[in-house]
Amino acid sequence: MIIEPLPIEAPGDFAPVTALGYDDGTGFLALVSTGQPLPTVALAPAAPAALEGTTAAAQLAGPFVPTLLAPVYLALSGSWTGQVRVLRSTDGGATLHPLTLGGAGWATFAANACEPVWVESEAGAALYLELAPQSGTIAYRVSQ
């Protein structure tokens, strides 16, 4: 619906009109305007369920199959000593590789943390946690 009249200019005394719109979410047309721009943001696919738990004994937790091109976050908490490493597999967990950055170890922790650790770009790749507490209990959560 055009609220303000638009002037028609010569020489033809007519103006072809085109309107651009989209579904407003309720099944009605929403016209594109300055106050209502065309929605052009690509939304990421639904995030997988978080991989979470606690352990006081060494274990391998996983797999966590991340959504592509979105940061993967690792949260570690509790009162513990030991080591946690994030591992990656492209063959269903048969082969596990530690993450590296520039050839150096990456995503290896000896204390509580909450940070992004990886962005996956290969479909089907999965992440695992190698948890090796020496004392105490580690609470872990891998999520997107």
Side-chain angles (χ1 to χ4, degrees):
M1 175 180 198
I2 298 174
I3 298 173
E4 297 179 22
L6 297 173
I8 297 175
E9 295 188 18
D13 290 333
F14 72 94
V17 177
T18 303
L20 183 60
Y22 59 94
D23 183 335
D24 70 356
T26 64
F28 289 93
L29 176 69
L31 290 177
V32 173
S33 66
T34 303
Q36 203 167 353
L38 187 64
T40 58
V41 176
L43 299 177
L51 170 65
E52 57 188 328
T54 59
T55 187
Q59 76 172 57
L60 183 66
F64 178 80
V65 180
T67 297
L68 299 181
L69 305 177
V72 175
Y73 288 85
L74 172 64
L76 300 171
S77 60
S79 180
W80 59 279
T81 61
Q83 182 175 293
V84 175
R85 288 194 314 165
V86 180
L87 307 172
R88 181 178 182 267
S89 177
T90 57
D91 60 8
T95 307
L96 298 171
H97 300 281
L99 300 182
T100 59
L101 181 64
W106 176 259
T108 299
F109 299 87
N112 291 337
C114 182
E115 61 187 75
V117 292
W118 194 249
V119 175
E120 187 56 62
S121 60
E122 185 176 352
L127 300 175
Y128 294 78
L129 286 182
E130 180 184 69
L131 299 141
Q134 294 173 344
S135 68
T137 300
I138 303 172
Y140 60 90
R141 185 171 198 272
V142 179
S143 64
Q144 286 187 301

